[in-house]
Amino acid sequence: MEYKLSEPFEYEGQKIEKCTIKKTQVKVIDRIKAKTEAKSVFGTEEGDAFMLCLINRLCDFGVSIPSLELAEKLSSEDLDNIAMKIMGIDEDFLQYLAKNSENSQK
């Protein structure tokens, strides 16, 4: 599955405009390795640090980008969108959640 970046960036003289999501089924080993990398690179295994390392494991940007460099280049919108695709969450599901949230507050 391909994802076109909303905010393309340059890395080592190459323009990165899309990424290929290699896997959409996250395995336990992917999570463990991403958490281990996040802890060593970012000092935490939580939140965006974990997601960046997971995305870097499961996506191909056309060049090998260390997770720290990816954190500096990737927009938060693209991070969120790629993470949702990896986890199998789509816009329809988010709209469904938003609608049910509004109904439950009435």
Side-chain angles (χ1 to χ4, degrees), residues 29-86:
I29 193 71
D30 295 319
R31 292 177 61 155
I32 291 169
K33 288 184 176 183
K35 280 189 172 213
T36 302
E37 181 188 358
K39 183 74 170 170
S40 72
V41 172
F42 298 103
T44 182
E45 56 187 40
E46 303 296 323
D48 286 351
F50 168 71
M51 284 312 303
L52 273 163
C53 293
L54 189 63
I55 286 170
N56 215 4
R57 290 187 56 73
L58 303 179
C59 296
D60 179 7
F61 289 89
V63 294
S64 181
I65 305 173
S67 293
L68 186 58
E69 298 281 334
L70 187 59
E72 293 175 354
K73 303 285 186 180
L74 194 63
S75 73
S76 59
E77 179 183 352
D78 286 328
L79 172 76
D80 293 345
N81 289 336
I82 294 169
M84 286 192 317
K85 291 193 179 304
I86 287 172

